[in-house]
């Protein structure tokens, strides 16, 4: 069956009019209307965000009204966002008493996965992306911005590398997963870009581009048949499987 969002509700269909039905509809409460959003597949079901009396939460459904239920119970605050599936786990951004952190659920247990706010207010994780069984994100550690990796536990969340830029900037550009490897562009200085890869260990520098030398690394990275495609200046499309370009 296909699940989709329409008219402020979650719907299920088998491709026929008779087999199309509304699974979950919005409900306006004292704390706002519970509009569903961010529908994504997970463990043979689908997850979506919506608000109930607990606040913004993660829900899941098997395509039936009876099989739709609230999956999480995070502290009320910012809307749940940044949904990222990784194997049999699902990462997302949710509130804590101190601000937003990354949470993780396997459909049975939901727990806080990161504790970046211990560094400073406003150091919330951003740009969540999964590669293999790990989550990658950028966050500030005091005044310093870094790329971080987590397997779902605060004590095993580690910094992969420092990033150039101030807190609130976005030097971690176009993160793209290929298997367990994460490829990403990073701004190094105002006139220098680099292409990197990592599996959570020491990152590998694949390409270094200076302004005026190759113009830029183009607009995006695209995963294709176990490799990453990218453009470089006026030289057309390039591909890499994780080895430095020469």
């Amino acid at each position: 069956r296909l699940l989709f969002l329409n008219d402020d509700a979650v719907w299920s269909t088998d491709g026929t009019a008779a087999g199309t039905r509304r699974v979950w509809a919005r409900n306006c409460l004292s704390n706002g209307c519970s509009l569903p959003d961010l529908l994504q597949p997970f463990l043979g079901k689908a997850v979506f965000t919506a608000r109930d009396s607990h606040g913004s939460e993660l829900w899941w459904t098997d395509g039936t009204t009876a099989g739709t239920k609230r999956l999480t119970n995070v502290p009320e605050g910012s809307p749940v966002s940044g949904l990222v599936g990784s194997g049999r786990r699902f990462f997302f951004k949710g509130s804590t008493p101190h601000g937003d952190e990354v949470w993780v659920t396997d459909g049975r247990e939901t727990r806080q996965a990161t504790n970046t706010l211990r560094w400073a207010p406003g150091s919330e994780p951003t740009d969540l992306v999964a590669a293999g069984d790990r989550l990658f994100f950028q966050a500030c550690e005091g005044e310093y911005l870094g790329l971080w990796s987590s397997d779902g536990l605060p004590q095993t969340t580690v910094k992969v590398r420092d990033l150039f830029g101030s807190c609130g900037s976005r030097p971690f550009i176009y993160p793209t997963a290929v298997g367990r490897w994460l490829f990403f562009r990073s701004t190094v200085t105002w006139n220098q870009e680099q292409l990197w890869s990592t599996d959570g260990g020491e990152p590998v520098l694949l390409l270094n581009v200076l302004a005026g030398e190759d113009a830029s690394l183009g607009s995006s990275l695209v995963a294709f048949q176990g490799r990453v495609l990218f453009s470089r200046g006026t030289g057309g499309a390039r591909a890499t499987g994780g080895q430095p370009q020469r």
Side-chain angles (χ1 to χ4, degrees):
R1 301 186 67 85
L2 174 69
L3 297 173
F4 62 97
L5 300 175
N6 184 54
D7 193 25
D8 299 334
V10 179
W11 293 75
S12 172
T13 184
D14 61 2
T16 67
T20 300
R21 59 178 180 264
R22 189 171 60 180
V23 173
W24 191 93
R26 76 172 182 173
N27 181 22
C28 289
L29 308 164
S30 59
N31 60 350
C33 288
S34 55
L35 304 180
D37 197 10
L38 305 177
L39 188 68
Q40 293 193 31
F42 179 53
L43 298 180
K45 299 184 180 182
V47 297
F48 61 94
T49 62
R51 178 177 293 276
D52 68 358
S53 58
H54 295 81
S56 179
E57 298 286 355
L58 195 64
W59 294 66
W60 70 350
T61 181
D62 61 1
T64 67
T65 300
T68 302
K69 64 179 182 179
R70 180 165 51 86
L71 181 60
T72 63
N73 185 18
V74 299
E76 185 172 358
S78 302
V80 169
S81 63
L83 278 59
V84 176
S86 176
R88 299 188 63 82
R89 296 177 299 177
F90 212 86
F91 293 91
F92 61 96
K93 280 185 64 176
S95 292
T96 73
H98 307 290
D100 290 350
E101 290 282 5
V102 176
W103 294 73
V104 62
T105 183
D106 60 4
R108 300 183 300 274
E109 177 190 10
T110 300
R111 64 177 183 271
Q112 187 177 325
T114 63
N115 188 22
T116 62
L117 289 166
R118 69 184 186 275
W119 300 319
S123 60
E124 291 92 344
T126 61
D127 301 301
L128 277 60
V129 60
D133 60 356
R134 299 195 65 85
L135 177 76
F136 295 86
F137 59 92
Q138 73 171 22
C140 281
E141 184 180 10
E143 299 178 355
Y144 302 100
L145 191 65
L147 172 63
W148 293 77
S149 174
S150 175
D151 66 356
L153 294 171
Q155 58 268 34
T156 54
T157 298
V158 296
K159 183 162 63 174
V160 177
R161 71 170 274 107
D162 292 324
L163 295 173
F164 174 81
S166 59
C167 293
S169 62
R170 290 291 184 273
F172 176 49
I173 310 170
Y174 301 119
T176 303
V178 177
R180 64 185 178 89
W181 287 89
L182 179 74
F183 295 81
F184 63 97
R185 283 171 48 188
S186 179
T187 302
V188 183
T189 63
W190 67 271
N191 68 340
Q192 185 179 9
E193 291 182 310
Q194 294 178 336
L195 178 63
W196 293 82
S197 68
T198 180
D199 62 354
E202 183 67 25
V204 178
L205 176 61
L206 304 176
L207 191 64
N208 187 55
V209 177
L210 296 174
E213 177 184 85
D214 298 280
S216 74
L217 281 172
S219 59
S220 64
L221 305 177
V222 179
F224 180 70
Q225 295 183 356
R227 300 175 71 84
V228 164
L229 301 179
F230 62 96
S231 61
R232 178 179 174 182
T234 58
R238 306 288 183 95
T240 179
Q243 297 299 317
Q245 299 287 299
R246 303 189 186 282

